[in-house]
């Protein structure tokens, strides 16, 4: 049988046959731990994501190397940091010629597929089958590019809610399209809950009668940090537009979808417009927060339902017992923390991403892990789980021993982060830094260098940088040493080669004049 692969274990171990596990990566875009009840049940219940956690391991410190969509995906495929895989910011095109874990698994005899959001510009490589959204893709009625029998790409348009369509494609591939003589590796990747958070028909009115709690840092004034935290453009106060807030009807819906949409939003919007003249600025921000966060949670809810369908099918078909199910997202997200939406920062909410892994017979159900793991480790993990040698130029490390509850003694204690997308959406300055989970050192190097140091135990919300505080001198010095060590070890160029030259200093009489803000509502 092709499924049975003799794996040579260590030098003197005897040859024996092991059934290689299937690998199912269920992946979302911009889903944070604050909206996943296995991590935080205060806003939403996600019973199906929780099934994965309860049946396996929940990681509390899964950090991303570069908290932005495309780059995170490129890191996962290659097991390499952005500066080595070449995809440093959204808008880059992924070089599909390079080594990726799907290619290696395909070569090792896995049936491989990629369904849903790809978002890397180039055509997917390393997959027997793919059907992907074009770029970001819409929430409704998406055109999708797929691999035809002869290997060439074609496009077809679907009707329906994108989350449901990706689930249907997933079930169809599992049931009918995969090569059943081989183990499989399937990446099923959602657009949801990416901006602008359009709920599916089933959940348009869900949570209408609820008030979602505001996070502790919702009204942050950005004192105590560098200019970077103040000069972004991702506040709920000013930067959500009328499409984000559903004050406009979305485009691309068919008449039936439009009717359902309007039945849900028209009355809510009319009530807001009527009340608005008498509302204070703070009341309007609070309203925006509720509108924004509820739509985000509604999108998550549809994903959770879909995961339930997939898990049920794995159970019914008997596949569950030999399938590793991984749930993760490309990065974390701000659900109002620091007054923000979006991601990008090395601060905790966007540095972390959810990671749940269920591996029957290997990972103890209901286990919780606090080691520093990363999206950099996924490729290595999938290869190791499949018995494929992990290439030496990958920069992460297989989580297989961690999943067995046997974290190696020399597991990483410090983690390097690097964000590049400036100038760019939401104006977050370029920065890099290190964290060991107790302290975090960040260098914003967009203008002149600005440093921040956080004591995460005393200040878990990262409100007051202690950089330059003499009582932290030793910690600051040791974190700087760690930063230099890791930059060298990870082959980070001394100067960011992707940074545009700094503008020349000039006398500008208009320098205090702010660009006009797009009105949000
Ligand atoms: Ca994302």
């Amino acid at each position: 049988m092709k499924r049975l692969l003799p794996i040579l274990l260590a030098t003197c171990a005897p040859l024996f046959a092991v059934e290689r596990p299937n690998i199912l990566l269920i992946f979302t875009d911009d889903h944070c731990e604050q909206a996943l009840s296995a991590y935080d049940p205060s806003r939403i219940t996600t019973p199906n994501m929780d099934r994965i956690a309860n049946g396996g391991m929940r990681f509390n410190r899964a950090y991303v190397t570069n908290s932005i969509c495309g780059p995170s995906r490129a890191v996962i495929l290659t097991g390499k940091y952005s500066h080595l895989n070449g995809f440093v910011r959204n808008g880059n095109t992924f070089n599909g010629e390079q080594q990726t874990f799907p290619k290696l698994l395909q070569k090792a005899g896995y049936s491989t597929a990629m369904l849903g959001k790809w978002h890397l510009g180039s055509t997917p490589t390393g997959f027997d089958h793919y059907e992907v959204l074009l770029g970001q893709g819409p929430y409704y009625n998406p055109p999708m590019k797929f691999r035809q029998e002869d290997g060439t790409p074609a496009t077809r348009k679907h009707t329906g809610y994108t989350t449901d369509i990706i689930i249907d494609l997933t079930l169809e591939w599992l049931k009918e399209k995969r090569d059943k003589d081989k183990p499989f590796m399937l990446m099923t990747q959602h657009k949801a809950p990416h901006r602008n958070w359009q709920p599916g028909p089933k959940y348009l009115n869900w949570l209408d009668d609820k008030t979602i709690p505001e996070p502790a840092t919702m009204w942050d004034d950005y004192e105590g940090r560098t200019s970077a935290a103040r000069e972004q453009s991702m506040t709920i106060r000013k930067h959500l537009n009328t499409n984000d807030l559903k004050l406009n009807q979305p485009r691309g819906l068919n008449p039936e979808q439009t009717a359902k949409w309007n039945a849900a939003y028209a009355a809510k919007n009319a009530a807001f417009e009527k009340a608005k003249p008498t509302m204070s600025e703070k009341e309007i921000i609070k309203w925006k927060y509720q509108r924004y966060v509820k739509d985000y949670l509604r999108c998550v809810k549809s994903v959770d339902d879909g995961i339930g369908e997939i898990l049920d099918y794995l159970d019914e078909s008997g596949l569950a017992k030999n399938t590793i199910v991984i749930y993760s997202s490309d990065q974390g997200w701000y659900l109002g923390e620091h007054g923000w939406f979006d991601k990008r920062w090395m601060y905790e909410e966007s540095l972390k991403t959810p990671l749940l892994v269920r591996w029957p017979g290997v990972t103890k159900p209901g286990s919780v892990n606090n080691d520093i793991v990363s999206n950099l480790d996924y490729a290595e993990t999938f290869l190791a789980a499949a018995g494929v040698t992990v290439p030496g130029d990958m920069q992460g490390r297989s989580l297989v021993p961690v999943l067995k509850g046997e974290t190696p003694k020399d597991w990483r204690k410090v983690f390097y982060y690097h964000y590049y997308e400036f100038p760019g959406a939401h104006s977050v300055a370029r920065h890099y830094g290190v964290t060991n989970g107790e302290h975090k050192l960040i260098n914003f190097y967009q203008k002149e260098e600005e440093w921040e140091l956080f004591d995460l135990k005393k200040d878990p919300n990262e409100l007051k940088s202690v950089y330059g505080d003499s009582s932290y001198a030793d910690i600051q010095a040791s974190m700087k040493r760690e930063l230099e060590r890791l930059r060298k070890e990870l082959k980070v160029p001394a100067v960011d080669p992707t940074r545009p030259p700094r503008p020349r200093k000039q006398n500008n009489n208009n320098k205090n004049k702010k660009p006009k803000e797009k009105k949000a509502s």
Side-chain angles (χ1 to χ4, degrees), residues 149-190:
E149 290 288 314
D150 67 0
T152 60
T155 301
R156 62 171 170 161
K157 190 168 175 174
H158 293 267
T159 300
Y161 189 54
T162 300
T163 299
D164 300 340
I165 290 162
I166 293 169
I167 297 294
D168 289 346
L169 290 172
T170 299
L171 291 170
E172 181 193 44
W173 189 80
L174 286 172
K175 288 177 186 174
E176 296 159 24
K177 288 195 169 168
R178 69 190 169 90
D179 181 342
K180 291 186 179 169
D181 290 332
K182 295 176 174 181
F184 69 80
M185 189 289 292
L186 169 60
M187 302 169 80
T188 179
Q189 308 201 153
H190 290 279

Side-chain angles (χ1 to χ4, degrees), residues 121-149:
S122 51
T123 297
T125 54
F127 301 98
D128 301 340
H129 179 64
Y130 63 79
E131 179 146 2
V132 296
L133 298 171
L134 311 181
Q136 289 283 2
Y139 269 102
Y140 281 83
N141 311 325
M144 294 179 82
K145 182 162 100 171
F146 66 101
R147 187 183 184 281
Q148 302 181 102
E149 290 288 314

Side-chain angles (χ1 to χ4, degrees), residues 450-467:
E450 292 186 281
W451 293 85
E452 291 178 350
L453 177 66
F454 294 100
D455 183 335
L456 298 172
K457 278 201 169 152
K458 282 192 186 160
D459 178 23
N461 291 329
E462 299 163 294
L463 294 172
K464 171 116 186 63
S465 168
V466 293
Y467 187 83

Side-chain angles (χ1 to χ4, degrees), residues 1 6-7 77 95 108 167 193 216 236 313 345 350 358 391 409 428 430 499-500:
M1 291 219 344
I7 296 177
L77 289 170
N95 171 12
I167 297 294
I236 289 169
Y313 174 69
W345 303 95
S350 46
R358 187 180 84 175
K409 287 266 185 303
V428 172
R430 289 172 185 242
R499 188 173 71 177

Side-chain angles (χ1 to χ4, degrees), residues 28-30 68-70 73 117 194 329-333 343:
T28 43
D29 194 328
D30 295 352
I68 181 80
C69 314
R73 289 151 203 269
K117 188 166 180 182
H194 191 277
S329 185
D330 56 355
Q331 14 61 213
W333 183 259
K343 54 249 179 181

Side-chain angles (χ1 to χ4, degrees), residues 239-514:
H239 303 104
L240 289 171
N241 63 38
T242 49
N243 292 330
D244 295 330
L245 294 167
K246 315 298 168 350
L247 296 171
N248 301 331
Q249 182 194 304
R251 288 184 194 169
L253 274 59
N254 66 28
E256 189 195 340
Q257 292 160 347
T258 302
K260 275 191 184 161
W261 185 276
N262 288 336
Y265 282 92
K268 291 189 255 188
N269 290 349
F272 170 64
E273 295 296 350
K274 194 179 165 201
K276 204 174 148 197
T278 63
M279 289 165 82
S280 66
E281 193 200 356
K282 190 165 184 177
E283 283 169 336
I284 291 175
I285 298 169
K286 287 165 94 68
W287 181 88
K288 287 181 184 176
Y289 172 72
Q290 292 297 325
R291 171 58 60 94
Y292 150 62
V293 75
K294 285 180 187 178
D295 284 340
Y296 179 98
L297 296 174
R298 289 166 179 142
C299 292
V300 172
K301 197 68 178 165
S302 287
V303 174
D304 190 70
D305 285 354
I307 291 176
E309 287 183 48
I310 296 172
L311 296 180
D312 287 348
Y313 174 69
L314 294 179
D315 286 344
E316 290 156 16
S317 62
L319 286 168
K321 62 180 186 302
N322 195 34
T323 300
I324 309 174
V325 180
I326 303 97
Y327 178 78
S328 193
S329 185
D330 56 355
Q331 14 61 213
W333 183 259
Y334 294 89
L335 272 191
E337 295 83 4
H338 304 292
W340 293 336
F341 63 99
D342 213 68
K343 54 249 179 181
R344 301 165 198 273
W345 303 95
M346 196 193 168
Y347 303 139
E348 291 293 291
E349 293 84 352
S350 46
L351 176 65
K352 283 197 214 171
T353 199
L355 177 61
L356 311 171
V357 183
R358 187 180 84 175
W359 189 356
V362 174
T363 302
K364 194 177 153 210
S367 48
V368 174
N369 179 281
N370 292 308
D371 297 316
I372 296 178
V373 303
S374 171
N375 59 345
L376 190 67
D377 303 325
Y378 296 4
E380 295 82 341
T381 305
F382 302 154
L383 293 171
V388 176
T389 305
V390 177
D393 61 349
M394 286 191 173
Q395 296 180 301
R397 199 164 168 184
S398 162
L399 295 170
V400 170
V402 180
L403 289 163
K404 290 177 175 167
E406 298 159 4
T407 302
K409 287 266 185 303
D410 61 347
W411 193 257
R412 74 167 73 79
K413 301 286 187 292
V414 193
F415 181 77
Y416 179 75
Y417 178 86
H418 202 145
Y419 173 78
Y420 298 84
E421 195 171 309
F422 189 99
H426 301 295
S427 308
V428 172
R430 289 172 185 242
H431 58 289
Y432 58 75
V434 282
T435 182
N436 56 15
E438 286 188 25
H439 295 96
K440 185 185 293 180
L441 178 73
I442 312 177
N443 179 12
F444 292 95
Y445 64 96
Q446 188 63 45
K447 299 182 285 188
E448 66 280 10
E449 293 197 331
E450 292 186 281
W451 293 85
E452 291 178 350
L453 177 66
F454 294 100
D455 183 335
L456 298 172
K457 278 201 169 152
K458 282 192 186 160
D459 178 23
N461 291 329
E462 299 163 294
L463 294 172
K464 171 116 186 63
S465 168
V466 293
Y467 187 83
D469 179 332
S470 58
S471 58
Y472 285 89
D474 289 349
I475 288 163
Q476 186 174 304
S478 91
M479 292 298 278
K480 279 201 175 173
R481 281 194 299 274
E482 287 299 295
L483 180 66
E484 285 320 307
R485 177 182 68 81
L486 279 177
R487 280 174 60 86
K488 207 171 161 187
E489 217 172 277
L490 297 167
K491 304 183 172 66
V492 185
V495 176
D496 176 356
T498 70
R499 188 173 71 177
R502 292 171 190 176
R504 281 205 190 133
K505 279 188 182 162
Q506 54 182 320
N507 280 329
N508 182 354
N509 295 330
N510 291 331
K511 68 178 176 185
N512 291 325
K513 203 172 163 185
K514 279 191 170 173

